[in-house]
Amino acid sequence: MLVKQNLKDFNKNLTEAVTLVAVSKTKPLADIQEAYEAGQRVFGENKIQEMVNKYEALPKDIQWHMIGHLQSNKVKYMAHFVDLIHGVDSIKTLREIDKQAKKNGRIINCLIQAKIAKEETKFGMSFDEIESFMTSSEKQELKNISIVGLMGMASFSSNEKEVSDEFKNLKTFFDALNTSGCQLSILSMGMSGDYQLAIDNGSTMIRVGSAIFGSRNYIV
Ligand SMILES: *Cc1c(COP(=O)(O)O)cnc(C)c1O
């Protein structure tokens, strides 16, 4: 019941311009089922094997988003069903996704992860790297992926100005890419602790785990 209530409270404050990805990593099938019954269809996981197991056990109209850092050699396990991959941070990984998508006769939607936090631990490509890839001939050749937007994680900080500025930077870059001809529709930024700041700064997709499912028992 708790999950249902949390979702309801959450959705009350969201406009249609923002998509909620319910981050169910480490949580049992029963929790996902409860959210599903409350109408939630988009779920995020950060480990490929865990997502595959859940995909196999749960209703097939769920849209599964991979939000974690990717290991190229595991892309093949999710290529037949993954709906959106958020955390792509290298061209090597994009090539592997393209290859696996092709094998499955699909086009897989991807977000490129941009590094916006100062923390060394956060993954992501620099704005320069993203911009040069977006205008490269290689991008044209990867016909089985579609880059539909960007993803970013702000610093883990209680300094709202710092977090807000990081989101703002990413939104400005996102808009600039679109002005120069890219057709990006999704800006994935914001988690339980900072989604409001992210929305205020132009997020179109938030990835929320603990505020819906409760805190996780271990750090992943
Ligand atoms: C775990 C995770 C989230 C959700 O985190 P919460 O703080 O529980 O909302 C969002 N994005 C990524 C990339 C994650 O790994």
Side-chain angles (χ1 to χ4, degrees), residues 3-205:
V3 170
K4 250 181 205 154
Q5 192 56 48
N6 287 346
L7 258 179
K8 210 172 139 203
D9 293 345
F10 216 90
N11 281 318
K12 259 203 312 247
N13 298 316
L14 281 190
T15 69
E16 277 179 16
V18 179
T19 302
L20 170 65
V21 180
V23 176
S24 48
K25 62 190 185 193
T26 81
K27 296 295 174 180
L29 297 176
D31 284 5
I32 303 176
Q33 190 71 44
E34 190 181 334
Y36 179 87
E37 281 159 20
Q40 182 66 29
R41 290 294 179 274
V42 185
F43 291 88
E45 290 283 334
N46 74 337
K47 296 232 161 56
I48 292 177
Q49 190 55 56
E50 184 176 344
M51 187 172 82
V52 170
N53 294 344
K54 288 172 171 174
Y55 161 75
E56 285 171 356
L58 288 161
K60 291 297 172 286
D61 60 338
I62 288 178
Q63 294 161 36
W64 291 101
H65 288 196
M66 174 45 57
I67 63 169
H69 185 246
L70 285 184
Q71 288 171 274
S72 291
N73 61 343
K74 291 194 179 157
V75 169
K76 57 178 176 284
Y77 300 116
M78 63 174 177
H80 59 295
F81 72 91
V82 67
D83 186 67
L84 179 64
I85 302 177
H86 290 234
V88 185
D89 68 352
S90 77
I91 293 167
K92 172 170 173 262
T93 307
L94 282 171
R95 284 189 201 118
E96 177 64 14
I97 297 168
D98 181 71
K99 181 175 146 195
Q100 297 301 333
K102 193 170 187 176
K103 276 193 189 162
N104 285 277
R106 300 184 67 208
I107 291 173
I108 296 182
N109 292 326
C110 298
L111 306 179
I112 294 184
Q113 182 168 357
K115 185 167 164 56
I116 55 171
K118 287 173 202 74
E119 295 156 28
E120 284 302 315
T121 52
K122 297 282 199 300
F123 293 104
M125 288 164 70
S126 71
F127 289 177
D128 283 349
E129 285 173 299
I130 295 172
E131 192 175 353
S132 60
F133 175 73
M134 292 304 284
T135 53
S136 68
S137 57
E138 169 149 36
K139 177 173 174 290
Q140 309 298 327
E141 287 157 20
L142 301 177
K143 297 200 186 314
N144 289 79
I145 56 171
S146 177
I147 300 191
V148 294
L150 302 177
M151 182 270 222
M153 290 173 86
S155 295
F156 186 71
S157 161
S158 56
N159 182 338
E160 289 202 355
K161 166 99 171 59
E162 184 183 347
V163 171
S164 187
D165 284 348
E166 290 173 359
F167 287 144
K168 206 168 285 162
N169 272 343
L170 185 56
K171 165 70 169 158
T172 302
F173 178 58
F174 176 83
D175 288 344
L177 286 178
N178 276 334
T179 302
S180 69
C182 298
Q183 290 176 312
L184 305 178
S185 56
I186 299 176
L187 183 54
S188 167
M189 52 186 202
M191 316 178 19
S192 292
D194 58 16
Y195 68 88
Q196 194 56 57
L197 285 175
I199 291 171
D200 293 346
N201 286 292
S203 171
T204 70
M205 187 172 272

Side-chain angles (χ1 to χ4, degrees), residues 205-218:
M205 187 172 272
I206 55 176
R207 310 173 310 271
V208 179
S210 41
I212 292 169
F213 295 106
S215 59
R216 288 176 292 276
N217 292 332
Y218 52 94

